[in-house]
Structures are given as structure tokens and as C-alpha cells.
Amino acid sequence: EAQVTQNPRYLITVTGKKLTVTCSQNMNHEYMSWYRQDPGLGLRQIYYSMNVEVTDKGDVPEGYKVSRKEKRNFPLILESPSPNQTSLYFCASSPDNSGANVLTFGAGSRLTVL
Amino acid sequence: SQQGEEDPQALSIQEGENATMNCSYKTSINNLQWYRQNSGRGLVHLILIRSNEREKHSGRLRVTLDTSKKSSSLLITASRAADTASYFCATDARGAGKSTFGDGTTLTVKP
């Protein structure tokens, strides 16, 4: 089944404890992206990647890092999480970004930082 | 700031009625898409309309695009309780290489 898989789905952590949210897609998509969703603020893009070893900042990149060493994986790293990073995170992918960026989303990762 | 803004923020209708949601955006776009999200779950793509198209249909969905007004509308006809969800528009700005989402419209369809 074609899908985007995120792990963990739920996580409670404490301020300053580094964590990684993994994202993997099995569709050979070139484009991958991370979003966070907060009440009243919609979905905001954190980082995106047009291809392997190519990443760019989205609208809210502060406090996050990403890497794209392989086509299928696009992990989101929080080096020193803070309570304002408590949110629902979504990873998404699409075949490419040449003009019809139809995104396939993962199920989401709900992160709570205490 | 967000590229797309949906209106209304919330909409409540009876089953069988039509639901109309609107999206406005700020900059020139390649295309505009509508997505649906069931509570707390991932978004699912519904329909894409390109900047040179004015109207598109898919089943009970009808999308219009007015690039002169920088706006789009999503019409769901003969709504069902299962249509209850949040609906988001997303725009691909020319040359931007990313999709920008609005805040969404929460639709409730009462049986």
C-alpha cells in the first residue's frame, strides 16, 4: 500500500531532550515536507525537500532540523524541544514539485513537550 | 502569514443540503488544491485546479477558481454526515516550490 509512515504517533517529552520524528514514504516521491498544525493557525510548513540532499526552510523552521540522505526518509529533528513546539506534526510527500504538488500525508505525530 | 484563507471558519448544515466554502489567496499561483481532514488525522487530497482552469468537478465536488479575484470555492452537493470534516485549500505559488495551506473550514453535517 502506498503510504507515508510517521513514528512515533504520540510522544510526551521534556524540555531539552532531543528527539527525532521519522518519516518514510514507499512511493519513490521526490518531494517531502513537514508541517505543524496548531489550533487557529492551520498547517504551517517547517521544512521541505525537493530531492535527496536538497532541503529548504518553510515558514516556521526555527528549532527544527531535517535531513534527506535517502529518497524515502525525511526525519524531523528537535535538538532541544521547548513547550511551544507542542503540536500535531504531519509529514507529506509528492511525486515532484514541477507543477502539480499533490501531497500524500502521514497520519500525524502528536508531540507534547513539558 | 498564510497564503490561503478559508471562509467561513465553521459551517453547520443538514444532511442533503449543499455546502460552500471559499478560499482567498494573495499571490499568483500555479494551481490550487482542496484537502479534507477528519478530526486529528492526516489530510486527504480531494481535487486540484490549475491556474488556467475556471471550474472542475469530481463526484459531488465542484471547485471554481477566479484568478482575477484570487479566490476559489468548493461546493459539496447533497451533503452526507460522512462529509463532516475540516476542509483546507492549498496553493502552489509560482516558483516557490512549496504548498501553503489556509486555516480551514470545519464542516458539520447533521443527520
Side-chain angles (χ1 to χ4, degrees):
Chain A
E1 181 188 351
Q3 60 185 359
V4 176
T5 303
Q6 299 178 223
N7 280 297
R9 294 287 317 282
Y10 302 91
L11 180 64
I12 300 174
T13 189
V14 295
T15 299
K17 186 176 181 183
K18 179 180 179 179
L19 69 93
T20 298
V21 186
T22 64
C23 174
S24 180
Q25 50 92 4
N26 62 359
M27 297 166 281
N28 202 37
H29 284 174
E30 291 186 0
Y31 180 91
M32 297 185 75
S33 181
W34 276 102
Y35 293 87
R36 61 178 287 174
Q37 185 176 30
D38 302 287
L41 295 176
L43 273 84
R44 293 179 292 168
Q45 190 174 42
I46 304 170
Y47 270 95
Y48 64 98
S49 170
M50 305 276 273
N51 214 325
V52 176
E53 302 292 359
V54 180
T55 63
D56 280 294
K57 295 177 181 178
D59 297 315
V60 288
E62 294 78 20
Y64 304 95
K65 287 173 64 175
V66 293
S67 67
R68 188 91 183 271
K69 296 190 174 101
E70 308 164 279
K71 200 169 190 178
R72 64 182 295 127
N73 295 323
F74 191 46
L76 179 70
I77 303 156
L78 286 73
E79 293 271 1
S80 183
S82 62
N84 65 13
Q85 293 179 297
T86 291
S87 188
L88 178 57
Y89 291 87
F90 289 101
C91 180
S93 71
S94 75
D96 59 52
N97 200 45
S98 61
N101 197 26
V102 175
L103 294 164
T104 300
F105 280 81
S109 295
R110 188 169 292 279
L111 171 65
T112 301
V113 183
L114 302 175
Chain B
S1 62
Q2 294 293 90
Q3 161 77 316
E5 293 184 2
E6 286 92 341
D7 171 62
Q9 286 189 323
L11 180 61
S12 181
I13 59 174
Q14 293 294 134
E15 205 163 30
E17 294 180 339
N18 296 341
T20 299
M21 290 158 264
N22 303 297
C23 170
S24 60
Y25 57 91
K26 297 173 184 173
T27 63
S28 296
I29 59 171
N30 284 325
N31 59 67
L32 184 143
Q33 302 173 58
W34 285 91
Y35 288 79
R36 165 194 167 125
Q37 182 185 33
N38 287 78
S39 182
R41 305 184 74 170
L43 281 73
V44 175
H45 181 259
L46 294 176
I47 196 166
L48 178 149
I49 186 165
R50 298 183 188 277
S51 59
N52 61 353
E53 296 175 312
R54 292 296 167 259
E55 188 171 312
K56 205 159 182 182
H57 296 255
S58 177
R60 294 185 295 113
L61 305 180
R62 173 178 168 249
V63 170
T64 62
L65 179 65
D66 187 336
T67 52
S68 67
K69 294 182 180 177
K70 292 187 170 57
S71 68
S72 172
S73 67
L74 170 67
L75 168 67
I76 303 174
T77 60
S79 63
R80 306 165 182 167
D83 294 328
T84 294
S86 292
Y87 293 82
F88 294 86
C89 68
T91 53
D92 290 351
R94 287 177 185 160
K98 57 183 183 179
S99 295
T100 306
F101 287 78
D103 294 340
T105 292
T106 299
L107 172 66
T108 302
V109 181
K110 300 175 186 174

